Amino acid sequence: MATVKILYDESAKNMEEYLKRKREQEGPTTEHSCKLDTLAGEFDSAQFERGSKGNHAIHLIQSWSPAESKKLSRDEIHAMGVELVSRFAPGHQYVVQTHTEEAHAHNHIVLNPVSIETGKRIRNKLGHIRTLRGLNDDIARERGLSVL
């Protein structure tokens, strides 16, 4: 069963540094409209250009049970992370990095809360976790995986 949680972060730099440290030892990384090595600066620039203030990053963690982690390849896990963020936040910059070093495989998804296409900001709202969980469940069901 796949689960997802959402964290709002005042600093994209912390996530950039974490993902850069993990890059070589972990699974695949996908960058969308930004580069991991300059993620914090790119997020800040996009937000400044659009006059948007607030949290600088959204951190999603998508994880699987140890049993399902054994059944899935790193590439399958990674693809589900990319699909989740693409459905949840089209037009936003993001980085997805897959970690398989623990019994439960998981994706770290760092997302710019401001759309580079529309300038609209994803606000810190309880409804977002419900939306994310619904999307995550849909993605799992489409692949024949269990849901909570």
Side-chain angles (χ1 to χ4, degrees):
M1 82 192 110
T3 62
V4 65
K5 63 181 172 180
I6 186 171
L7 307 165
Y8 294 89
D9 200 332
E10 292 181 7
S11 170
K13 188 68 175 169
N14 293 339
M15 286 308 305
E16 175 187 317
E17 291 171 1
Y18 174 75
L19 294 178
K20 283 164 54 174
R21 278 194 315 271
K22 294 287 199 170
R23 174 176 33 204
E24 296 305 317
Q25 56 189 280
E26 297 303 332
T29 299
T30 295
E31 304 163 322
H32 177 71
S33 299
C34 63
K35 296 287 182 198
L36 175 55
D37 290 331
T38 56
L39 177 122
E42 290 184 58
F43 280 20
D44 287 345
S45 292
Q47 292 172 37
F48 179 77
E49 288 171 10
R50 288 153 183 85
S52 187
K53 296 181 182 183
N55 291 318
H56 292 252
I58 296 173
H59 179 198
L60 307 176
I61 302 173
Q62 181 187 37
S63 60
W64 287 263
S65 68
E68 282 191 334
S69 294
K70 290 178 186 176
K71 295 177 189 175
L72 299 167
S73 72
R74 284 186 341 181
D75 290 338
E76 289 172 313
I77 290 165
H78 187 75
M80 286 187 272
V82 171
E83 189 168 346
L84 176 66
V85 70
S86 297
R87 288 185 189 186
F88 177 66
H92 290 255
Q93 298 167 300
Y94 64 81
V95 172
V96 178
Q97 189 176 80
T98 301
H99 293 187
T100 56
E101 81 281 6
E102 297 179 25
H104 67 281
H106 57 281
N107 288 316
H108 288 278
I109 304 166
V110 181
L111 167 67
N112 187 343
V114 175
S115 169
I116 58 174
E117 292 177 3
T118 66
K120 290 185 178 179
R121 173 177 277 281
I122 296 172
R123 300 277 177 204
N124 183 357
K125 294 185 179 174
L126 182 59
H128 292 310
I129 192 63
R130 290 186 190 114
T131 300
L132 280 165
R133 287 178 179 159
L135 291 170
N136 194 53
D137 288 352
D138 291 345
I139 291 166
R141 278 189 205 99
E142 290 164 11
R143 289 168 171 77
L145 302 172
S146 61
V147 296
L148 288 176

Short mmCIF file of all heavy atoms in Angstrom, two decimals, residues 85-140:
data_model
loop_
_atom_site.label_atom_id
_atom_site.label_comp_id
_atom_site.label_asym_id
_atom_site.label_seq_id
_atom_site.Cartn_x
_atom_site.Cartn_y
_atom_site.Cartn_z
N VAL A 85 3.18 13.86 -8.77
CA VAL A 85 3.42 15.31 -8.78
C VAL A 85 2.91 15.94 -10.07
O VAL A 85 2.41 17.07 -10.06
CB VAL A 85 4.90 15.65 -8.51
CG1 VAL A 85 5.80 15.26 -9.66
CG2 VAL A 85 5.06 17.13 -8.17
N SER A 86 2.98 15.22 -11.18
CA SER A 86 2.47 15.75 -12.45
C SER A 86 0.96 15.94 -12.41
O SER A 86 0.44 16.91 -12.96
CB SER A 86 2.83 14.81 -13.60
OG SER A 86 4.22 14.73 -13.75
N ARG A 87 0.26 15.02 -11.76
CA ARG A 87 -1.20 15.15 -11.64
C ARG A 87 -1.58 16.22 -10.62
O ARG A 87 -2.55 16.95 -10.79
CB ARG A 87 -1.83 13.82 -11.21
CG ARG A 87 -1.82 12.76 -12.28
CD ARG A 87 -2.58 11.53 -11.81
NE ARG A 87 -2.43 10.40 -12.69
CZ ARG A 87 -3.10 9.26 -12.53
NH1 ARG A 87 -3.95 9.11 -11.52
NH2 ARG A 87 -2.92 8.26 -13.37
N PHE A 88 -0.83 16.28 -9.52
CA PHE A 88 -1.16 17.20 -8.43
C PHE A 88 -0.84 18.66 -8.77
O PHE A 88 -1.61 19.55 -8.44
CB PHE A 88 -0.42 16.80 -7.15
CG PHE A 88 -0.63 17.73 -6.00
CD1 PHE A 88 -1.88 17.86 -5.40
CD2 PHE A 88 0.41 18.51 -5.50
CE1 PHE A 88 -2.08 18.72 -4.34
CE2 PHE A 88 0.22 19.37 -4.44
CZ PHE A 88 -1.03 19.48 -3.86
N ALA A 89 0.30 18.88 -9.44
CA ALA A 89 0.76 20.25 -9.63
C ALA A 89 1.31 20.49 -11.04
O ALA A 89 2.50 20.76 -11.21
CB ALA A 89 1.81 20.59 -8.58
N PRO A 90 0.47 20.38 -12.06
CA PRO A 90 0.96 20.68 -13.41
C PRO A 90 1.41 22.14 -13.48
O PRO A 90 0.80 23.01 -12.86
CB PRO A 90 -0.26 20.41 -14.30
CG PRO A 90 -1.44 20.48 -13.41
CD PRO A 90 -0.97 20.09 -12.03
N GLY A 91 2.49 22.39 -14.21
CA GLY A 91 3.00 23.74 -14.35
C GLY A 91 3.93 24.19 -13.25
O GLY A 91 4.33 25.35 -13.20
N HIS A 92 4.27 23.28 -12.34
CA HIS A 92 5.16 23.61 -11.23
C HIS A 92 6.53 22.95 -11.44
O HIS A 92 6.63 21.88 -12.05
CB HIS A 92 4.58 23.11 -9.89
CG HIS A 92 3.39 23.88 -9.45
ND1 HIS A 92 3.44 24.79 -8.43
CD2 HIS A 92 2.11 23.87 -9.89
CE1 HIS A 92 2.24 25.32 -8.25
NE2 HIS A 92 1.40 24.77 -9.13
N GLN A 93 7.55 23.58 -10.92
CA GLN A 93 8.89 22.99 -10.91
C GLN A 93 8.94 21.93 -9.82
O GLN A 93 8.36 22.10 -8.75
CB GLN A 93 9.94 24.06 -10.60
CG GLN A 93 10.02 25.17 -11.61
CD GLN A 93 10.84 26.33 -11.08
OE1 GLN A 93 10.50 26.91 -10.06
NE2 GLN A 93 11.91 26.66 -11.79
N TYR A 94 9.68 20.84 -10.09
CA TYR A 94 9.84 19.82 -9.06
C TYR A 94 11.05 18.94 -9.33
O TYR A 94 11.57 18.89 -10.44
CB TYR A 94 8.58 18.95 -8.93
CG TYR A 94 8.24 18.13 -10.17
CD1 TYR A 94 8.89 16.93 -10.44
CD2 TYR A 94 7.25 18.54 -11.05
CE1 TYR A 94 8.56 16.17 -11.56
CE2 TYR A 94 6.92 17.79 -12.16
CZ TYR A 94 7.59 16.61 -12.41
OH TYR A 94 7.27 15.86 -13.52
N VAL A 95 11.46 18.25 -8.27
CA VAL A 95 12.47 17.20 -8.35
C VAL A 95 11.90 15.99 -7.62
O VAL A 95 11.34 16.12 -6.53
CB VAL A 95 13.80 17.63 -7.69
CG1 VAL A 95 14.78 16.47 -7.61
CG2 VAL A 95 14.43 18.79 -8.46
N VAL A 96 12.02 14.82 -8.24
CA VAL A 96 11.61 13.55 -7.63
C VAL A 96 12.86 12.70 -7.50
O VAL A 96 13.58 12.50 -8.47
CB VAL A 96 10.56 12.80 -8.49
CG1 VAL A 96 10.20 11.46 -7.84
CG2 VAL A 96 9.33 13.65 -8.70
N GLN A 97 13.10 12.20 -6.29
CA GLN A 97 14.24 11.30 -6.06
C GLN A 97 13.74 10.06 -5.32
O GLN A 97 13.04 10.18 -4.32
CB GLN A 97 15.33 12.00 -5.26
CG GLN A 97 16.62 11.21 -5.18
CD GLN A 97 17.70 12.00 -4.46
OE1 GLN A 97 17.70 12.03 -3.23
NE2 GLN A 97 18.59 12.63 -5.21
N THR A 98 14.11 8.90 -5.82
CA THR A 98 13.66 7.63 -5.25
C THR A 98 14.72 7.07 -4.32
O THR A 98 15.90 7.01 -4.67
CB THR A 98 13.36 6.62 -6.38
OG1 THR A 98 12.36 7.20 -7.23
CG2 THR A 98 12.88 5.30 -5.84
N HIS A 99 14.28 6.65 -3.13
CA HIS A 99 15.18 6.05 -2.14
C HIS A 99 14.74 4.62 -1.86
O HIS A 99 13.57 4.37 -1.58
CB HIS A 99 15.15 6.85 -0.84
CG HIS A 99 15.73 8.21 -0.97
ND1 HIS A 99 15.92 9.02 0.12
CD2 HIS A 99 16.18 8.92 -2.04
CE1 HIS A 99 16.46 10.17 -0.28
NE2 HIS A 99 16.61 10.12 -1.60
N THR A 100 15.68 3.72 -1.94
CA THR A 100 15.37 2.30 -1.70
C THR A 100 16.31 1.70 -0.64
O THR A 100 16.41 0.49 -0.54
CB THR A 100 15.50 1.50 -3.02
OG1 THR A 100 16.80 1.70 -3.56
CG2 THR A 100 14.44 1.94 -4.02
N GLU A 101 16.95 2.55 0.16
CA GLU A 101 17.91 2.06 1.14
C GLU A 101 17.26 1.46 2.38
O GLU A 101 17.90 0.79 3.17
CB GLU A 101 18.89 3.19 1.54
CG GLU A 101 18.35 4.16 2.57
CD GLU A 101 17.40 5.23 2.04
OE1 GLU A 101 17.01 5.20 0.86
OE2 GLU A 101 17.02 6.09 2.83
N GLU A 102 15.98 1.70 2.57
CA GLU A 102 15.26 1.17 3.73
C GLU A 102 14.31 0.07 3.27
O GLU A 102 14.11 -0.13 2.08
CB GLU A 102 14.49 2.30 4.41
CG GLU A 102 15.40 3.40 4.95
CD GLU A 102 14.62 4.53 5.59
OE1 GLU A 102 13.48 4.29 6.04
OE2 GLU A 102 15.16 5.64 5.64
N ALA A 103 13.72 -0.62 4.23
CA ALA A 103 12.79 -1.70 3.88
C ALA A 103 11.60 -1.17 3.09
O ALA A 103 11.05 -1.88 2.25
CB ALA A 103 12.30 -2.40 5.15
N HIS A 104 11.22 0.06 3.36
CA HIS A 104 10.12 0.67 2.60
C HIS A 104 10.71 1.68 1.61
O HIS A 104 11.36 2.64 1.98
CB HIS A 104 9.11 1.35 3.54
CG HIS A 104 9.66 2.54 4.25
ND1 HIS A 104 10.47 2.44 5.35
CD2 HIS A 104 9.55 3.87 3.98
CE1 HIS A 104 10.81 3.65 5.75
NE2 HIS A 104 10.28 4.54 4.95
N ALA A 105 10.50 1.41 0.34
CA ALA A 105 10.94 2.33 -0.70
C ALA A 105 10.09 3.58 -0.64
O ALA A 105 8.92 3.54 -0.24
CB ALA A 105 10.82 1.67 -2.06
N HIS A 106 10.69 4.72 -1.01
CA HIS A 106 9.94 5.97 -0.97
C HIS A 106 10.52 6.99 -1.94
O HIS A 106 11.67 6.89 -2.35
CB HIS A 106 9.90 6.54 0.45
CG HIS A 106 11.25 6.78 1.05
ND1 HIS A 106 12.01 5.76 1.59
CD2 HIS A 106 11.98 7.90 1.19
CE1 HIS A 106 13.15 6.25 2.03
NE2 HIS A 106 13.17 7.55 1.80
N ASN A 107 9.67 7.92 -2.30
CA ASN A 107 10.06 9.04 -3.15
C ASN A 107 10.06 10.31 -2.32
O ASN A 107 9.13 10.54 -1.54
CB ASN A 107 9.08 9.24 -4.31
CG ASN A 107 9.20 8.17 -5.36
OD1 ASN A 107 10.29 7.79 -5.75
ND2 ASN A 107 8.07 7.67 -5.83
N HIS A 108 11.08 11.12 -2.51
CA HIS A 108 11.08 12.49 -2.00
C HIS A 108 10.76 13.37 -3.20
O HIS A 108 11.43 13.30 -4.23
CB HIS A 108 12.45 12.88 -1.42
CG HIS A 108 12.75 12.21 -0.13
ND1 HIS A 108 12.25 12.68 1.07
CD2 HIS A 108 13.47 11.11 0.15
CE1 HIS A 108 12.68 11.88 2.05
NE2 HIS A 108 13.41 10.92 1.51
N ILE A 109 9.73 14.17 -3.06
CA ILE A 109 9.30 15.08 -4.12
C ILE A 109 9.37 16.49 -3.56
O ILE A 109 8.70 16.79 -2.57
CB ILE A 109 7.87 14.74 -4.59
CG1 ILE A 109 7.78 13.29 -5.05
CG2 ILE A 109 7.43 15.71 -5.68
CD1 ILE A 109 6.36 12.76 -5.20
N VAL A 110 10.19 17.32 -4.17
CA VAL A 110 10.31 18.71 -3.74
C VAL A 110 9.69 19.56 -4.84
O VAL A 110 10.10 19.50 -5.99
CB VAL A 110 11.78 19.10 -3.49
CG1 VAL A 110 11.86 20.54 -3.01
CG2 VAL A 110 12.41 18.16 -2.46
N LEU A 111 8.72 20.34 -4.46
CA LEU A 111 7.84 21.04 -5.39
C LEU A 111 7.84 22.53 -5.09
O LEU A 111 7.75 22.93 -3.93
CB LEU A 111 6.43 20.45 -5.20
CG LEU A 111 5.21 21.11 -5.77
CD1 LEU A 111 5.23 21.07 -7.29
CD2 LEU A 111 3.97 20.41 -5.25
N ASN A 112 7.95 23.34 -6.13
CA ASN A 112 7.81 24.78 -5.97
C ASN A 112 6.31 25.06 -5.78
O ASN A 112 5.51 24.70 -6.64
CB ASN A 112 8.33 25.51 -7.21
CG ASN A 112 8.36 27.02 -7.03
OD1 ASN A 112 7.74 27.57 -6.14
ND2 ASN A 112 9.09 27.68 -7.90
N PRO A 113 5.93 25.71 -4.69
CA PRO A 113 4.51 25.96 -4.47
C PRO A 113 3.90 26.96 -5.45
O PRO A 113 2.68 27.05 -5.56
CB PRO A 113 4.44 26.50 -3.04
CG PRO A 113 5.81 26.90 -2.69
CD PRO A 113 6.75 26.15 -3.56
N VAL A 114 4.73 27.67 -6.22
CA VAL A 114 4.24 28.65 -7.18
C VAL A 114 4.37 28.09 -8.59
O VAL A 114 5.44 27.65 -9.00
CB VAL A 114 5.00 29.99 -7.06
CG1 VAL A 114 4.58 30.96 -8.14
CG2 VAL A 114 4.78 30.59 -5.68
N SER A 115 3.28 28.11 -9.34
CA SER A 115 3.29 27.64 -10.72
C SER A 115 4.10 28.60 -11.58
O SER A 115 3.88 29.82 -11.53
CB SER A 115 1.87 27.55 -11.26
OG SER A 115 1.88 27.34 -12.66
N ILE A 116 5.00 28.05 -12.38
CA ILE A 116 5.77 28.90 -13.29
C ILE A 116 4.93 29.27 -14.52
O ILE A 116 5.32 30.16 -15.27
CB ILE A 116 7.10 28.25 -13.70
CG1 ILE A 116 6.88 26.89 -14.38
CG2 ILE A 116 8.03 28.13 -12.51
CD1 ILE A 116 8.13 26.26 -14.95
N GLU A 117 3.80 28.63 -14.68
CA GLU A 117 2.91 28.94 -15.82
C GLU A 117 1.86 29.99 -15.44
O GLU A 117 1.61 30.91 -16.20
CB GLU A 117 2.23 27.68 -16.32
CG GLU A 117 3.19 26.71 -16.97
CD GLU A 117 2.53 25.41 -17.42
OE1 GLU A 117 1.29 25.28 -17.29
OE2 GLU A 117 3.26 24.54 -17.89
N THR A 118 1.23 29.83 -14.29
CA THR A 118 0.12 30.71 -13.92
C THR A 118 0.47 31.69 -12.80
O THR A 118 -0.25 32.67 -12.61
CB THR A 118 -1.09 29.89 -13.44
OG1 THR A 118 -0.75 29.23 -12.21
CG2 THR A 118 -1.54 28.89 -14.49
N GLY A 119 1.52 31.42 -12.03
CA GLY A 119 1.87 32.26 -10.90
C GLY A 119 1.05 31.97 -9.66
O GLY A 119 1.27 32.57 -8.61
N LYS A 120 0.09 31.05 -9.75
CA LYS A 120 -0.74 30.72 -8.59
C LYS A 120 0.06 29.88 -7.60
O LYS A 120 0.88 29.06 -7.98
CB LYS A 120 -1.99 29.97 -9.02
CG LYS A 120 -2.97 30.83 -9.77
CD LYS A 120 -4.24 30.09 -10.06
CE LYS A 120 -5.22 30.98 -10.78
NZ LYS A 120 -6.46 30.29 -11.10
N ARG A 121 -0.22 30.09 -6.32
CA ARG A 121 0.48 29.41 -5.23
C ARG A 121 -0.39 28.32 -4.63
O ARG A 121 -1.59 28.51 -4.43
CB ARG A 121 0.85 30.43 -4.15
CG ARG A 121 1.44 29.81 -2.89
CD ARG A 121 1.86 30.86 -1.89
NE ARG A 121 3.18 31.40 -2.19
CZ ARG A 121 4.31 30.78 -1.88
NH1 ARG A 121 4.30 29.62 -1.28
NH2 ARG A 121 5.47 31.33 -2.18
N ILE A 122 0.22 27.20 -4.33
CA ILE A 122 -0.44 26.14 -3.56
C ILE A 122 -0.35 26.57 -2.11
O ILE A 122 0.75 26.70 -1.56
CB ILE A 122 0.25 24.78 -3.77
CG1 ILE A 122 0.14 24.34 -5.22
CG2 ILE A 122 -0.35 23.74 -2.82
CD1 ILE A 122 0.96 23.09 -5.55
N ARG A 123 -1.45 26.79 -1.49
CA ARG A 123 -1.50 27.23 -0.10
C ARG A 123 -1.49 26.03 0.84
O ARG A 123 -1.91 24.93 0.47
CB ARG A 123 -2.75 28.07 0.16
CG ARG A 123 -2.83 29.31 -0.69
CD ARG A 123 -2.01 30.41 -0.10
NE ARG A 123 -2.05 31.57 -1.00
CZ ARG A 123 -1.12 32.49 -1.01
NH1 ARG A 123 -0.11 32.42 -0.20
NH2 ARG A 123 -1.22 33.51 -1.83
N ASN A 124 -1.08 26.26 2.05
CA ASN A 124 -1.05 25.22 3.07
C ASN A 124 -2.48 24.96 3.54
O ASN A 124 -2.98 25.63 4.42
CB ASN A 124 -0.16 25.69 4.24
CG ASN A 124 -0.01 24.64 5.31
OD1 ASN A 124 -0.60 23.57 5.24
ND2 ASN A 124 0.79 24.94 6.31
N LYS A 125 -3.11 23.97 2.94
CA LYS A 125 -4.50 23.66 3.26
C LYS A 125 -4.68 22.17 3.47
O LYS A 125 -4.06 21.36 2.80
CB LYS A 125 -5.43 24.13 2.14
CG LYS A 125 -5.47 25.62 1.97
CD LYS A 125 -6.48 26.03 0.94
CE LYS A 125 -6.50 27.54 0.82
NZ LYS A 125 -7.36 27.99 -0.26
N LEU A 126 -5.54 21.83 4.39
CA LEU A 126 -5.84 20.43 4.69
C LEU A 126 -6.36 19.69 3.45
O LEU A 126 -6.08 18.52 3.26
CB LEU A 126 -6.85 20.34 5.83
CG LEU A 126 -7.23 18.95 6.30
CD1 LEU A 126 -6.00 18.19 6.78
CD2 LEU A 126 -8.26 19.03 7.41
N GLY A 127 -7.08 20.37 2.60
CA GLY A 127 -7.64 19.74 1.41
C GLY A 127 -6.59 19.16 0.49
O GLY A 127 -6.86 18.19 -0.24
N HIS A 128 -5.38 19.70 0.50
CA HIS A 128 -4.33 19.19 -0.37
C HIS A 128 -3.93 17.77 -0.01
O HIS A 128 -3.65 16.96 -0.90
CB HIS A 128 -3.11 20.10 -0.35
CG HIS A 128 -3.36 21.43 -0.98
ND1 HIS A 128 -3.94 21.58 -2.23
CD2 HIS A 128 -3.14 22.68 -0.53
CE1 HIS A 128 -4.05 22.86 -2.51
NE2 HIS A 128 -3.57 23.55 -1.49
N ILE A 129 -3.88 17.45 1.26
CA ILE A 129 -3.50 16.09 1.64
C ILE A 129 -4.57 15.10 1.19
O ILE A 129 -4.26 14.00 0.74
CB ILE A 129 -3.17 15.95 3.14
CG1 ILE A 129 -2.50 14.59 3.43
CG2 ILE A 129 -4.39 16.13 4.01
CD1 ILE A 129 -1.17 14.38 2.77
N ARG A 130 -5.82 15.51 1.26
CA ARG A 130 -6.90 14.64 0.77
C ARG A 130 -6.78 14.43 -0.74
O ARG A 130 -6.94 13.31 -1.23
CB ARG A 130 -8.26 15.25 1.12
CG ARG A 130 -8.57 15.22 2.59
CD ARG A 130 -9.99 15.71 2.87
NE ARG A 130 -10.18 15.88 4.29
CZ ARG A 130 -10.37 17.04 4.89
NH1 ARG A 130 -10.43 18.16 4.18
NH2 ARG A 130 -10.52 17.11 6.18
N THR A 131 -6.50 15.50 -1.47
CA THR A 131 -6.30 15.39 -2.92
C THR A 131 -5.13 14.48 -3.24
O THR A 131 -5.22 13.60 -4.10
CB THR A 131 -6.07 16.79 -3.53
OG1 THR A 131 -7.22 17.60 -3.25
CG2 THR A 131 -5.83 16.70 -5.02
N LEU A 132 -4.01 14.69 -2.56
CA LEU A 132 -2.82 13.87 -2.79
C LEU A 132 -3.09 12.40 -2.50
O LEU A 132 -2.68 11.53 -3.25
CB LEU A 132 -1.66 14.36 -1.93
CG LEU A 132 -0.92 15.56 -2.47
CD1 LEU A 132 -0.05 16.17 -1.38
CD2 LEU A 132 -0.08 15.17 -3.67
N ARG A 133 -3.77 12.14 -1.40
CA ARG A 133 -4.07 10.74 -1.06
C ARG A 133 -4.98 10.10 -2.10
O ARG A 133 -4.80 8.94 -2.45
CB ARG A 133 -4.66 10.66 0.34
CG ARG A 133 -3.63 10.91 1.42
CD ARG A 133 -4.20 10.87 2.80
NE ARG A 133 -3.14 11.09 3.79
CZ ARG A 133 -3.35 11.51 5.01
NH1 ARG A 133 -4.59 11.76 5.43
NH2 ARG A 133 -2.34 11.68 5.84
N GLY A 134 -5.94 10.86 -2.58
CA GLY A 134 -6.82 10.33 -3.63
C GLY A 134 -6.06 10.04 -4.92
O GLY A 134 -6.24 8.98 -5.53
N LEU A 135 -5.19 10.95 -5.33
CA LEU A 135 -4.37 10.73 -6.52
C LEU A 135 -3.44 9.54 -6.33
O LEU A 135 -3.28 8.70 -7.23
CB LEU A 135 -3.55 11.98 -6.85
CG LEU A 135 -4.32 13.19 -7.33
CD1 LEU A 135 -3.42 14.42 -7.38
CD2 LEU A 135 -4.94 12.93 -8.69
N ASN A 136 -2.83 9.46 -5.16
CA ASN A 136 -1.92 8.37 -4.85
C ASN A 136 -2.66 7.03 -4.89
O ASN A 136 -2.14 6.05 -5.45
CB ASN A 136 -1.29 8.61 -3.47
CG ASN A 136 -0.12 7.73 -3.20
OD1 ASN A 136 0.82 7.67 -4.00
ND2 ASN A 136 -0.14 7.04 -2.08
N ASP A 137 -3.85 6.99 -4.33
CA ASP A 137 -4.66 5.76 -4.36
C ASP A 137 -5.03 5.39 -5.80
O ASP A 137 -4.98 4.21 -6.18
CB ASP A 137 -5.94 5.92 -3.53
CG ASP A 137 -5.67 5.94 -2.03
OD1 ASP A 137 -4.51 5.67 -1.61
OD2 ASP A 137 -6.61 6.24 -1.27
N ASP A 138 -5.39 6.38 -6.61
CA ASP A 138 -5.71 6.11 -8.02
C ASP A 138 -4.52 5.50 -8.75
O ASP A 138 -4.67 4.52 -9.50
CB ASP A 138 -6.13 7.39 -8.74
CG ASP A 138 -7.47 7.94 -8.28
OD1 ASP A 138 -8.23 7.21 -7.61
OD2 ASP A 138 -7.75 9.12 -8.59
N ILE A 139 -3.35 6.07 -8.54
CA ILE A 139 -2.13 5.57 -9.19
C ILE A 139 -1.84 4.14 -8.75
O ILE A 139 -1.49 3.29 -9.57
CB ILE A 139 -0.95 6.52 -8.90
CG1 ILE A 139 -1.16 7.86 -9.63
CG2 ILE A 139 0.38 5.89 -9.31
CD1 ILE A 139 -0.24 8.98 -9.17
N ALA A 140 -2.01 3.87 -7.47
CA ALA A 140 -1.79 2.51 -6.95
C ALA A 140 -2.79 1.53 -7.55
O ALA A 140 -2.41 0.43 -8.01
CB ALA A 140 -1.88 2.50 -5.43
#
